[in-house]
Amino acid sequence: MPHVQGDRGDTEERPTVRIRDTRKLLTTAAVIMSGFLICTSFITTLLIPQDEFKAGGQANGRALAYLAHHYLGSVFGSVYDAATIGILWFAGASAMAGLLNLMPRYLPRYGMAPHWARAVRPMVLVFTLIGFLVTWIFDADVDAQGGAYAPGCWSS
């Protein structure tokens, strides 16, 4: 969004065209993502047997990867898996960057102003160790970890 440019008449105080164009950009992105979600839900429901979605099934938690391996071959499926891992890795790095920016800024609001929160490298190690600890505690089970991060979604 910072790259969206306005017209010559836009000012810092009233960036009218920039706001309008940013709204168009976000709406377009939301429509595209919604379309992808609806299409993938529909396609996976039609092409994957119901038993494969159950716990222990090959499509449990990885429906599109299952389809990639099943219909497009193991080479394409492996490339799809590698691309998914890369995307998740970059998402994790982005989340880490966000945490490193938020920690020193918001801890003082809660009466905590530790000097160690400004040390970036130790905080990266702490967050990485917490991630590994959560993965180890839940035996790398994606469903169990999802329950840990979203307690309202625990399944019985």
Side-chain angles (χ1 to χ4, degrees):
M1 289 185 295
H3 298 290
V4 175
Q5 294 182 4
D7 284 345
R8 293 176 194 234
D10 279 0
T11 63
E12 275 300 312
E13 295 82 29
R14 294 190 52 90
T16 309
V17 174
R18 185 171 181 206
I19 291 171
R20 184 193 70 215
D21 290 348
T22 301
R23 186 174 293 137
K24 286 180 187 177
L25 173 73
L26 291 174
T27 302
T28 302
V31 167
I32 291 170
M33 288 186 290
S34 298
F36 282 152
L37 285 172
I38 291 169
C39 287
T40 56
S41 296
F42 184 70
I43 290 169
T44 55
T45 303
L46 290 178
L47 296 178
I48 299 175
Q50 187 176 3
D51 292 339
E52 295 296 336
F53 282 114
K54 294 180 181 175
Q58 290 182 350
N60 182 23
R62 53 182 306 271
L64 291 177
Y66 172 85
L67 289 176
H69 282 276
H70 187 71
Y71 288 104
L72 302 172
S74 62
V75 172
F76 183 85
S78 297
V79 170
Y80 182 88
D81 290 339
T84 302
I85 290 167
I87 290 168
L88 291 173
W89 184 75
F90 281 115
S94 176
M96 176 82 73
L99 278 172
L100 292 173
N101 281 326
L102 290 176
M103 277 275 297
R105 188 177 302 165
Y106 288 101
L107 283 179
R109 291 184 182 184
Y110 297 104
M112 299 179 278
H115 296 290
W116 54 261
R118 296 195 197 303
V120 174
R121 288 185 181 149
M123 289 310 300
V124 168
L125 291 175
V126 167
F127 290 140
T128 302
L129 289 174
I130 290 171
F132 280 122
L133 180 67
V134 168
T135 303
W136 178 62
I137 288 172
F138 290 99
D139 293 324
D141 183 358
V142 175
D143 294 327
Q145 287 182 25
Y149 289 114
C153 301
W154 282 72
S155 60
S156 53

